[in-house]
Structures are given as C-alpha cells and as structure tokens.
Amino acid sequence: MTNIGRRMAFTRLGIATAAAAALSMAALPAFAEEEDLYIASRYQNFKRGTIHSLDPKTRGLVVMFDGLGRVKMKASDMVVKTTSGYPGNAYDELKVGQTVDVHWYDYIDFLIAKTTPQSSAHAKAMVAQGARIEGFPGSLHKVRLFEMTGMVVSTDPQHGTVDIINASTGEPDKPAPDSGEVIRLPQIQTEKGRAALATLKPGDKLTAVFSVQSAFRIAIVR
C-alpha cells in the first residue's frame, strides 16, 4: 500500500509539474509566429523640400524641409519612376539641390521594453520579419526594423524621449554609435511605447525596436 501511495503521489506531482510548465509557456509572448507588424497611415508625411545630400550605396537621402530642418531617410523600393497617378521619380534621378515633394514615414517604435531573454528574442524576431505599411499587402514593400539596446540614462515621458548608453549596432546602413556612447533614441510615438517608457528609470537596461525612416514616393518639382 505504501508503494502504491508513493506512485500515486509521484504521478500527481508529474501532472502538476507539466501543468505548471504549460502555464509558464502560455505566459510567454507569442512571437514564434509572425506578428502583423505595420506602420499606421497616421504616421505618414507629405512635404516639399530640397535635397541636401544623397548616399546611393544605401539609397539614403537627406532633405531640408522648412520648419523641420534636415531629415534623414531611406528611399524604399517604391521610390520608382511613375507615369500615371501621383507623379514620382526613381532614386537614380535624384540630384543634390533639387526641389522635391516627398511622401515618407517617421521612425516608429515597435518595441520598448526592459531587457530580458524574452524581450531580446522578441526584438530579433521583429527585425528579421520587418514591417508593412498599412493599406499595402503584407508581403510587399517591407520597411526595415532595427534594434537598439543599452542602459537608460534619462527619460522624458512627456516628449517621448529616452537617452541610453549604447550597447548595440543600431540602424542599418548608418555608422554604428560607439559602444558606451550616450545617445538619444528616436522619439517614441505609439501609445504602447509611451506607456512602457513611463515605467523606465535610470539604470534599467532597455531593448527597443524602431522602423527605419522611409520615403515611399519622391517627385522632382524642379
């Protein structure tokens, strides 16, 4: 009878352990499958400016806008020569000094979180996947994402900013900030990101994912 009792106890313990493991797995973020990562249309901009510089190796450009100053962005695969509808030009037609009408999307925060194994894995999955633009098919015109990590130095929840001691490579196709350099991340714009920012304090380790600031249509005016 004693042996039977022990077997039953171990069986029940095994069931309880399995159930606890299942609950623990269920509590982890569900990012094994692709999320629907997209940039909402409210973050798009339409403005006329002057091309200040170009970087053909990365399809990069800097445009001077009245009221905004210099804005760095990447020309997406949608920046092509068009002949109907809203006019547009190919990247290789652009020259420094041209006046252009630009349709672009800001840096958007996709993840603002304290650094943990789960948030680090989530960030890498996001970067590997990329994001789409709201209103376009999910498989087309992906916007690249990049990860930034480091220790929080200061935060400004009112303006959506955070300064960190950089510990990662940062944005694709840009010179990487030196490790240990204090840098300010792009402005945090989403409600979810702002809520997460409000929980951070100096000394916390931060993992962040942003979209690359991307142009989707550029039309030469003159």
Side-chain angles (χ1 to χ4, degrees):
M1 292 295 294
T2 302
N3 290 339
I4 293 174
R6 286 179 178 174
R7 282 199 296 270
M8 290 180 65
F10 282 123
T11 300
R12 289 174 182 171
L13 178 60
I15 292 172
T17 302
L23 287 172
S24 176
M25 291 297 294
L28 292 176
F31 50 79
E33 297 181 1
E34 285 196 348
E35 301 173 75
D36 184 15
L37 304 177
Y38 70 92
I39 300 175
S41 58
R42 66 179 178 273
Y43 296 117
Q44 63 187 321
N45 303 276
F46 299 87
K47 198 169 179 64
R48 180 165 294 182
T50 303
I51 296 177
H52 179 268
S53 63
L54 296 164
D55 183 2
K57 291 182 180 179
T58 65
R59 288 176 62 86
L61 68 155
V62 177
V63 184
M64 288 288 296
F65 294 109
D66 288 342
L68 293 178
R70 298 180 185 180
V71 177
K72 297 180 181 180
M73 61 187 75
K74 295 291 190 295
S76 75
D77 60 353
M78 289 183 68
V79 177
V80 296
K81 179 71 174 178
T82 57
T83 56
S84 62
Y86 179 77
N89 293 89
Y91 181 85
D92 58 13
E93 295 180 275
L94 304 180
K95 294 180 175 60
V96 172
Q98 288 174 333
T99 298
V100 289
D101 285 338
V102 186
H103 171 201
W104 84 96
Y105 288 80
D106 293 327
Y107 290 108
I108 301 299
D109 52 286
F110 280 82
L111 179 67
I112 302 295
K114 292 180 181 179
T115 301
T116 64
Q118 289 82 5
S119 64
S120 295
H122 196 182
K124 287 175 173 52
M126 284 180 158
V127 171
Q129 179 182 332
R132 66 180 180 86
I133 294 295
E134 184 178 31
F136 290 97
S139 60
L140 298 176
H141 313 305
K142 289 288 188 179
V143 175
R144 286 182 297 169
L145 306 181
F146 64 97
E147 178 185 0
M148 298 291 290
T149 63
M151 188 178 73
V152 174
V153 175
S154 63
T155 65
D156 183 352
Q158 181 180 354
H159 297 98
T161 60
V162 56
D163 294 346
I164 66 170
I165 299 175
N166 183 55
S168 68
T169 56
E171 185 175 346
D173 303 331
K174 285 182 64 175
D178 293 332
S179 180
E181 180 183 356
V182 176
I183 60 173
R184 174 161 294 177
L185 299 187
Q187 185 182 31
I188 297 168
Q189 301 200 59
T190 68
E191 291 183 8
K192 186 176 180 180
R194 292 280 184 119
L197 175 62
T199 69
L200 298 174
K201 61 184 184 300
D204 287 340
K205 292 184 178 179
L206 171 67
T207 293
V209 174
F210 288 87
S211 61
V212 172
Q213 193 157 240
S214 302
F216 272 68
R217 189 73 57 89
I218 302 175
I220 299 171
V221 177
R222 57 182 178 272

